[in-house]
């Protein structure tokens, strides 16, 4: 199985759905046993609606394991806020405080405008529309009218420009620019500073493991559309708007697309 993963031959999960369910049931039973043994009340959080991730299952396991970040899953369950014009939460037991940001928060309000889509995306407009429709079927996006969007988000509707970047050997990737024109990213200030392992860290770890018997190699993998499997709170859907048209919407019946998840 590891060799199949390393050589790119694995195209779908090798674990049968029923086996995964049985494993989760076994873990849930173990979590219940540990809670009872510790004298803790049973885990009774209401199920998360509209999420792709089993948020409450993770939260239960995190709390039992002593993960100080487990309380943040309450926000995850109801849909996360993107942090636009609001103070973002901190998890000091896990992360250092972030004190610097690349984007300047000071800009003139009159500089905020709805930009046109980039030529890179309009040169392949059919592909952009097809991607939006595909995301709508996956419940990642929602199509509405300009009038309805203004009604629901009168103060926070920000329609971003869409661009397209070519990926070697893959389809074009469409990108949501929440910085230029609409300045949404400028007004988001994460206060936690995550540190990600770099190449040197991996090299050091492999080097240390190489002294043990056997063959050692590292395998990097990625979760498909991971950022698009986290539901965003509906109060913030307006700041994640965009269009597949060549010009920004002006008429009430013009189409507006909303991202319901991370862009």
């Amino acid at each position: 199985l590891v060799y199949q993963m390393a050589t790119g031959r694995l195209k779908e999960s090798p674990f049968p759905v029923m086996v995964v369910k049985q494993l989760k049931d076994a873990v849930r039973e173990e979590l219940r046993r540990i809670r009872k043994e510790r004298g803790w009340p049973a885990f009774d959080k209401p199920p998360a609606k509209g999420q792709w991730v089993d948020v409450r299952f993770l939260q239960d396991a995190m709390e039992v394991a002593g993960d100080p970040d487990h309380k943040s899953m309450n926000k995850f369950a109801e849909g996360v806020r993107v942090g636009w014009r609001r103070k973002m939460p901190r998890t000091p037991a896990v992360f250092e405080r972030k004190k610097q940001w690349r984007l300047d928060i000071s800009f003139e309000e009159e500089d905020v405008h709805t930009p046109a889509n980039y030529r890179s995306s309009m040169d392949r407009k059919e592909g952009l529309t097809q991607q939006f429709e595909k995301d709508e079927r996956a419940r990642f996006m929602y199509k509405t009218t300009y009038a309805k969007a203004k009604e629901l988000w009168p103060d926070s509707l920000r329609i971003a420009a869409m661009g397209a970047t070519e990926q070697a050997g893959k389809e074009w990737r469409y990108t949501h620019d929440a910085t230029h024109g609409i300045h949404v990213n400028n007004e988001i200030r994460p206060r936690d500073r995550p540190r990600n392992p770099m190449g040197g860290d991996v090299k050091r770890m492999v080097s240390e493991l190489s002294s043990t018997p056997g063959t050692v190699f590292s395998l990097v993998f990625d979760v498909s559309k991971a950022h698009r499997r986290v539901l965003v709170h509906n109060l913030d859907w307006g700041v994640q708007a965009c269009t597949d048209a060549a010009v920004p919407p002006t008429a009430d019946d013009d189409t507006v697309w909303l991202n319901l998840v991370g862009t």
Side-chain angles (χ1 to χ4, degrees):
L1 176 58
V2 171
Y3 285 138
Q4 283 182 313
M5 294 169 66
T7 54
R9 297 179 183 178
L10 202 61
K11 303 302 180 184
E12 57 186 25
S13 173
F15 310 111
V17 175
M18 184 54 66
V19 172
V20 174
K21 181 181 182 304
Q22 290 172 345
L23 176 60
K24 289 176 70 173
D25 289 344
V27 173
R28 283 194 175 96
E29 185 58 38
E30 181 66 5
L31 293 172
R32 281 193 289 268
R33 185 193 67 77
I34 294 174
R35 283 180 172 276
K36 185 176 181 180
E37 188 177 81
R38 294 178 180 177
W40 292 8
F43 187 84
D44 60 352
K45 299 287 186 182
K49 296 180 179 179
Q51 292 286 13
W52 290 261
V53 177
D54 196 338
V55 178
R56 296 305 192 187
F57 177 57
L58 285 178
Q59 185 176 24
D60 189 5
M62 289 165 68
E63 185 178 10
V64 169
D67 189 326
D69 207 17
H70 72 89
K71 291 183 180 179
S72 68
M73 302 300 273
N74 291 324
K75 296 296 183 184
F76 193 170
E78 64 186 29
V80 300
R81 301 299 300 270
V82 301
W84 181 74
R85 293 187 178 181
R86 61 183 281 118
K87 188 175 183 179
M88 297 187 75
R90 280 274 287 126
T91 313
V94 181
F95 301 109
E96 300 170 80
R97 180 184 292 277
K98 186 175 177 65
K99 299 179 180 179
Q100 292 182 315
W101 301 269
R102 287 190 301 171
L103 296 176
D104 189 359
I105 199 170
S106 59
F107 58 88
E108 299 299 327
E109 193 66 31
E110 55 264 28
D111 292 337
V112 177
H113 65 280
T114 301
N117 281 333
Y118 293 106
R119 181 177 176 179
S120 59
S121 64
M122 291 297 92
D123 283 349
R124 43 201 56 82
K125 181 180 181 302
E126 183 178 351
L128 176 64
T129 302
Q130 289 176 351
Q131 183 61 56
F132 282 1
E133 292 172 346
K134 181 179 178 181
D135 284 352
E136 184 179 33
R137 291 192 295 272
R139 296 184 293 116
F140 296 159
M141 297 187 79
Y142 169 67
K143 182 168 67 172
T144 187
T145 63
Y146 185 45
K148 188 67 175 178
K150 288 189 296 182
E151 177 187 343
L152 293 174
W153 297 279
D155 301 318
S156 62
L157 183 63
R158 299 291 185 274
I159 301 174
M162 295 297 299
T165 53
E166 189 172 8
Q167 301 182 99
K170 298 181 180 179
E171 299 177 355
W172 283 75
R173 179 183 181 186
Y174 297 98
T175 53
H176 181 105
D177 185 356
T179 301
H180 299 95
I182 62 173
H183 296 289
V184 167
N185 286 338
N186 300 68
E187 299 187 83
I188 297 176
R189 289 290 185 260
R191 300 195 302 137
D192 283 336
R193 182 186 181 189
R195 290 185 179 273
N196 298 315
M198 305 298 287
D201 301 306
V202 176
K203 185 176 180 180
R204 172 67 180 271
M205 182 60 67
V206 172
S207 176
E208 291 182 1
L209 290 172
S210 296
S211 61
T212 62
T215 301
V216 176
F217 70 96
S218 61
L219 182 65
V220 179
F221 65 93
D222 185 26
V223 176
S224 174
K225 297 184 182 294
H227 57 294
R228 296 186 68 73
R229 301 182 192 279
V230 178
L231 184 68
V232 168
H233 198 289
N234 58 15
L235 292 176
D236 287 336
W237 291 353
V239 298
Q240 298 198 136
C242 57
T243 178
D244 58 346
V247 296
T250 54
D252 284 350
D253 59 352
D254 284 348
T255 297
V256 170
W257 288 87
L258 302 164
N259 284 281
L260 314 185
V261 294
T263 63

